Amino acid sequence: MSQNPSAASPCADLSDAIRAIAPAAVLVRVFPPEQAVTHLYGLDFHRILVDRESEEDAARLIRRRFARAADWRRAHDFHLPTRALYRTPEPFQSGYVPEDDSSFGIASTRYIGTSGRADS
């Protein structure tokens, strides 16, 4: 688990908690638990390489915040600037490979929900 207390706190803002784990992250792609993989992307649409524990921490925070809203049998993308969760684009859709598409593929048709600040 992350040594940063705000990352572990259920009361912390989700985007801030993830930034405590990976400061350059803009998007976190959480794959189904059985795939045991999480990808973090930066502003330039390229993957950010972090240790596996940090990936797991980010995925755990997102799954916990959106536990009832998302079907975790499918991959989901959490966009930190907007605090919004989306279903991951399909392989043939723009944004599936952000570094190739220069897009995160955020679309209202895949929108799941928004994580607001704990005090709002």
Side-chain angles (χ1 to χ4, degrees), residues 47 70 77 94:
R47 278 190 58 199
D77 293 344
S94 178

Side-chain angles (χ1 to χ4, degrees), residues 76-117:
H76 290 79
D77 293 344
F78 180 72
H79 188 242
L80 279 72
T82 61
R83 294 177 173 84
L85 184 72
Y86 298 85
R87 273 190 333 329
T88 298
E90 297 298 327
F92 59 87
Q93 294 174 317
S94 178
Y96 184 75
V97 184
E99 59 268 30
D100 289 350
D101 300 335
S102 294
S103 165
F104 290 129
I106 295 170
S108 61
T109 57
R110 291 192 295 275
Y111 175 79
I112 302 295
T114 301
S115 170
R117 292 191 175 276

Side-chain angles (χ1 to χ4, degrees), residues 2-54:
S2 174
Q3 297 301 312
N4 185 318
S6 67
S9 170
C11 297
D13 173 72
L14 182 57
S15 291
D16 291 343
I18 293 170
R19 283 189 193 99
I21 296 167
V26 174
L27 184 108
V28 180
R29 180 163 291 167
V30 181
F31 290 91
E34 61 274 0
Q35 291 182 355
V37 65
T38 301
H39 295 166
L40 287 84
Y41 294 90
L43 195 56
D44 63 356
F45 304 105
H46 286 83
R47 278 190 58 199
I48 298 170
L49 300 178
V50 297
D51 61 275
R52 182 67 192 135
E53 183 178 355
S54 296

